[in-house]
Amino acid sequence: MTNAKPRLALAFGILCISIFPILVKLRLTPGLISAFYRMAIAVSLLLPYVLITKKFAFPKTGVLLLAILCGVLFASDVAVWNIAIQESSATQASLLTNLSPLWVGIISYVFLKTKPATNFWIGTVVSLFGMAMLVGFEFFLELNFDNAFILAVLSGILYSIYLLVSKKALSQMDVLSFMTISLLASTVYLAVVCVVMNEPFSGFSDMGWLVLFVQAVVCQLMAWLSISYATQHMRATRVSLSLLSQAVLTSLLAWLLLDEKITLNMIIGGVILLLGIRITFFTKTLSVKNIFNKAKEDNSLVN
């Protein structure tokens, strides 16, 4: 049951963030200001709770700086991704952002002692193939290497760095304290950016404010409390790859809520993507030799 809790938390978090692209596509608020209010509303709800219940523990200076860095990285990722979606398409931005597992694996391999397992690389290749099939192979032939493309790639890189740094911070502090500090850092950072960029802090429709509130409560608080808990107890590479399943859920939600079409290729691609994620959870290393030996053992049992 102990091993099941982080997985259930991760699944719930993925479900919560899956509605975020749908809300962004509504374009009811500018990308930067949407990112700011997502953090500001979330921290305004979380901070009183942790203070009243005395569940906030002030970490050591080194860990505090890591949590602040996480806030800046995550805020930058969300802001950049919002702009990428609004300046191009949700499909292109989502695909390029979801390359983050590849960046996590590369960064872990080059800079960290903990190297990704063989199953991670196998699962990554399978999942990326499923992702490509989900959005359509013709998409790759039509990529425009413009600012939106660069921002989407940058979003994936920022996201991967955030996952690795947050893993380090969460190994030395509890989830609620981490979320509180990182959200405060995100809010202050984005407030400065919005002022510099002369973004409007008001003047939105009632629906616009409602969307901002849902983003903060569901896509930020509920989602990232769950994902942070999962990150605390699971490998960052495994968490990052599991988050690819967001694309499948987002496609289903777009079909239900926005009347977007789901093709056979999308269904097959989604199944392949989820298969790739499942491979990373196998405890035994996959290889052609192991598969052959397994088949040989099964055959001998039958005979």
Side-chain angles (χ1 to χ4, degrees), residues 3 7 22 30 56 74 82 104 134 165-166 183 204 212 276 283:
N3 293 331
R7 297 186 183 189
I22 307 297
F56 179 79
F74 187 76
N82 283 3
V104 170
L134 181 68
V165 177
S166 65
L183 278 173
F204 313 126
L212 290 174
T283 54

Side-chain angles (χ1 to χ4, degrees), residues 22-68:
I22 307 297
L23 300 176
V24 173
K25 286 178 68 174
L26 297 176
R27 297 178 65 93
L28 297 176
T29 57
L32 275 177
I33 209 69
S34 173
F36 165 74
Y37 276 113
R38 171 175 168 173
M39 308 303 171
I41 296 173
V43 77
S44 67
L45 296 174
L46 180 61
L47 185 58
Y49 171 77
V50 296
L51 292 178
I52 292 172
T53 58
K54 298 182 180 180
K55 292 186 176 181
F56 179 79
F58 205 83
K60 296 179 180 179
T61 303
V63 183
L64 173 64
L65 292 176
L66 281 179
I68 292 173

Side-chain angles (χ1 to χ4, degrees), residues 10-25 38 81 85 94 98 214 218-220 223-224 227 242-254 257-258:
L10 180 59
F12 178 74
I14 290 171
L15 177 62
C16 290
I17 63 174
S18 296
I19 69 170
F20 184 66
I22 307 297
L23 300 176
V24 173
K25 286 178 68 174
R38 171 175 168 173
W81 191 60
I85 289 178
S94 296
N98 280 319
V214 172
V218 179
C219 305
Q220 186 60 43
W224 286 98
I227 294 172
S242 297
L243 290 173
L244 282 177
S245 59
Q246 172 199 339
V248 179
L249 293 174
T250 298
S251 297
L252 291 173
L253 291 172
L257 303 176
L258 302 178

Side-chain angles (χ1 to χ4, degrees), residues 1-12 229-230 233-234 281:
M1 186 62 188
T2 302
N3 293 331
K5 287 181 179 179
R7 297 186 183 189
L8 290 172
L10 180 59
F12 178 74
Y229 173 79
H233 296 86
M234 298 170 64
F281 283 85

